[in-house]
Amino acid sequence: LPSWYAQPSVVVSELGGLEQWRQAVLALASEANPCTNCASALGHSNGNLDLSLFDTLCGSTPEHQNACNNFVLETDQALRAGIPKIYKQNLPTCEANPNWIDEVFEYSGGLYDLAQQAKMVWDSNHVVDFWLGISHEGQGDQCEAFERIDVGPTCAANSITADDLVEAERRSIIKHCPDFFEYDSMSGQNSACEKNIIKKTKSLPRKKEKSTPKNHPQKKLRLRNRALV
């Protein structure tokens, strides 16, 4: 389960953020971690906001995924040390958060109220509805992905199993990157797969412009302008 958030770099520095992150990495690398694999990155944004960016992604076997999620959450909470976080609608931290409206970057500072008004215009029937989406109920609750389920109700109703979903995902990956599972590093995998995707990408056909009839007034005007030049 991914976990991404940002915090003001000044505050992180004052509280010894680098050392806290090092301790978090040591925790993820310890035998106490029930996850099978983890990746953790510390970044920095030097744009309009001076932020430290924390990004963690861990996974496990299905039977241990819930324990893995809880371990990562506890590690993140210790790393944050009570400092309010900033996260994005498309890069959320899945834990329950009663302060979501102030911490979600796209919604803070009164922007959520404006977004709700706009949505009432283009989606008055509330058709588009998802966690952290505009006007969703239970925004402060833990997201559904935090607790592992084999398949959702729609798949179960159509006799689609978890293995079917895994195989479908593998077929999709191999279609775009045939050697995806053969690489020994993430950087090599990303680089080679990106090149393969770009190589196979085809540009959209250009729309042919309609030719102007010979005696069309617009064409006569262009010819007259050329003569004047």
Side-chain angles (χ1 to χ4, degrees):
L1 190 70
S3 172
W4 184 97
Y5 61 90
Q7 291 177 317
S9 295
V10 174
V11 179
V12 171
S13 178
E14 289 176 351
L15 296 179
L18 285 177
E19 175 59 24
Q20 289 179 326
W21 182 69
R22 189 180 77 88
Q23 293 298 327
V25 171
L26 289 174
L28 294 175
S30 70
E31 294 184 358
N33 184 358
C35 306
T36 304
N37 47 71
C38 284
S40 183
L42 172 61
H44 179 255
S45 171
N46 56 0
N48 295 330
L49 299 175
D50 186 7
L51 299 173
S52 295
L53 313 177
F54 298 88
D55 194 0
T56 303
L57 176 62
C58 291
S60 185
T61 54
E63 60 270 20
H64 295 125
Q65 187 60 53
N66 287 346
C68 173
N69 293 344
N70 285 311
F71 185 85
V72 173
L73 175 59
E74 292 172 2
T75 303
D76 274 349
Q77 289 173 338
L79 174 59
R80 291 200 300 269
I83 307 172
K85 62 182 181 295
I86 302 169
Y87 57 110
K88 292 176 64 62
Q89 182 199 55
N90 65 317
L91 290 171
T93 297
C94 237
E95 66 178 306
N97 180 18
N99 298 320
W100 64 272
I101 199 166
D102 293 323
E103 296 185 357
V104 174
F105 184 78
E106 294 88 351
Y107 293 158
S108 60
L111 293 178
Y112 188 72
D113 292 335
L114 294 176
Q116 284 185 305
Q117 294 175 34
K119 188 180 180 186
M120 284 298 297
V121 176
W122 62 265
D123 186 20
S124 57
N125 293 325
H126 199 57
V127 175
V128 179
D129 183 25
F130 56 92
W131 186 71
L132 283 190
I134 301 166
S135 299
H136 176 74
E137 292 185 9
Q139 300 279 46
D141 298 340
Q142 178 179 279
C143 79
E144 291 181 357
F146 198 85
E147 295 291 336
R148 185 191 71 84
I149 59 172
D150 288 330
V151 293
T154 302
C155 289
N158 291 276
S159 302
I160 298 173
T161 67
D163 290 338
D164 293 332
L165 295 177
V166 170
E167 286 304 314
E169 186 64 24
R170 289 176 68 92
R171 286 195 301 270
S172 176
I173 291 171
I174 292 173
K175 177 182 177 182
H176 296 291
C177 187
D179 299 324
F180 183 86
F181 297 103
E182 305 301 323
Y183 298 103
D184 57 3
S185 71
M186 185 181 295
S187 58
Q189 184 186 71
N190 286 347
S191 176
C193 289
E194 181 183 15
K195 290 179 181 178
N196 187 65
I197 291 172
I198 293 174
K199 183 179 179 181
K200 291 184 176 181
T201 300
K202 296 181 180 179
S203 59
L204 293 172
R206 296 182 62 181
K207 186 178 181 180
K208 294 183 179 179
E209 296 183 1
K210 294 182 179 180
S211 59
T212 307
K214 185 176 181 180
N215 295 323
H216 194 279
Q218 189 177 10
K219 191 162 189 176
K220 290 181 179 179
L221 180 62
R222 286 202 299 266
L223 292 172
R224 186 184 304 165
N225 290 338
R226 288 179 189 171
L228 291 175
V229 173

